[in-house]
Amino acid sequence: MGTAGVGVVFGGQSPEHEVSLASARGVIENAQLLGWDLLPVGVGRDGTWHLGPGALHVLWQQSDQRRIPGRDTFQVEPGPVVSYSALPPTDAFAGFPVVLPVTHGGWGEDGTLQQMLLAAGLHLIGCGPQASADCLDKARAKSVLAEAGIPVTRGTVVPRAAADAPDLLHRLVERVGPPPWFVKPQSGGSSVGISRVDSPDDVRTALQRALVHDEGVVVEQLVPHRELVVGIVGRSSLLVSPPGECRPVGHLYTYEEKYAVGNPLFTCPADLDSATTEEARALADAAYRALNCDVFARVDLFLDQQTGKLLVNEVNTIPGMTSTSVFPKVMRAAGLDYPNLLHALHAAALE
């Protein structure tokens, strides 16, 4: 299954920097099993680009070890690198025309990086700039989905300038309903900056926590639910996984829970009747197409425990590829182990 040169881009200026390094490790190890000719491309928090076999080692040495998924202590081998203060010239990617970004969060997942790579004449394994931007912006994604007739949770956006408004609580209750609420940055992933608010007295603290990471905050109705995850690979023809289920290890599945301990209660396939399973897969397919996703994405769904209805929570265009990430797990249930998942992504990108 060897293939032409592939660049793997990781790191970046995001709170999810360390998650990206762990995703890169997973991709690199499994791509080597396929015999791929790889070019590791690491982007430091300071914006420096490092190209070459030692790129992951460089960023690993600079990383915050407390934020490493699973507290992983593996040794990354050093190797040669060539560093650039900004996006390298196109000829730096000579022999590696296809690029897989595993950069999570802002800059790496909001379309900025995708636009840069396309402008350099490279071919993306993953969503393009517009779909990336739409999906990372939770409010925009919900708007697109709602316009397509796809059910989503009730919510509203609070811009930074409105976070201290005297009538804030009244407006939130009017638009979202009474607490409990989920409060989270408008753009981002990995549960960074998310809070659960059970009392109106706590909402301003939750807003400030989210505003550390973004200029806007999404406040959503907390629906008693089961959280389902569906993976999708493909372009015109899609491979849609069976739904898996994330059962939180606490009352809120925070970044710390997600990456420090993983989720020992994740199961795939989820324990659902056949009708709900197929409805979840169909809804994920519809969301993927409505947002013009390409090559791969993860669709997160809520199964409302009061009504039995399914809702789309969000769509992640660069799902985690770490050893604890759910995307490789649900795609394994669809028949693709990790190396074959990479092969399928590459084939879809070149379709």
Side-chain angles (χ1 to χ4, degrees), residues 154-273:
R154 187 178 177 186
T156 191
V157 175
V158 179
R160 181 181 295 276
D164 294 321
D167 62 343
L168 175 66
L169 289 177
H170 173 76
R171 292 165 60 187
L172 288 178
V173 172
E174 185 178 61
R175 296 177 184 180
V176 186
W181 300 320
F182 280 132
V183 177
K184 48 192 171 183
Q186 184 172 344
S187 298
S190 291
S191 302
V192 172
I194 188 171
S195 300
R196 171 176 168 155
V197 172
D198 291 291
S199 166
D201 295 336
D202 298 328
V203 71
R204 294 187 189 278
T205 299
L207 288 171
Q208 292 307 314
R209 181 183 183 194
L211 286 168
V212 170
H213 304 286
D214 202 359
E215 291 300 307
V217 178
V218 172
V219 180
E220 295 177 339
Q221 182 184 45
L222 193 158
V223 176
H225 66 274
R226 295 170 63 186
E227 183 173 350
L228 306 178
V229 175
V230 177
I232 300 181
V233 172
R235 306 190 81 173
S236 56
S237 176
L238 303 182
L239 174 63
V240 182
S241 81
E245 180 172 7
C246 290
R247 294 172 57 195
V249 294
H251 82 290
L252 175 67
Y253 197 30
T254 63
Y255 176 99
E256 289 74 20
E257 289 176 343
K258 185 175 292 186
Y259 292 111
V261 300
N263 190 331
L265 302 180
F266 178 78
T267 57
C268 189
D271 183 15
L272 302 167
D273 60 62

Side-chain angles (χ1 to χ4, degrees), residues 15 17-19 21 45 59-69 71-72 255:
H17 182 92
E18 282 77 13
V19 182
L21 304 189
R45 291 188 183 277
L59 295 196
W60 196 263
Q61 294 298 109
Q62 298 173 356
S63 67
D64 182 348
Q65 300 295 309
R66 297 168 299 178
R67 297 180 65 82
I68 299 298
R71 301 290 188 263
D72 203 333
Y255 176 99

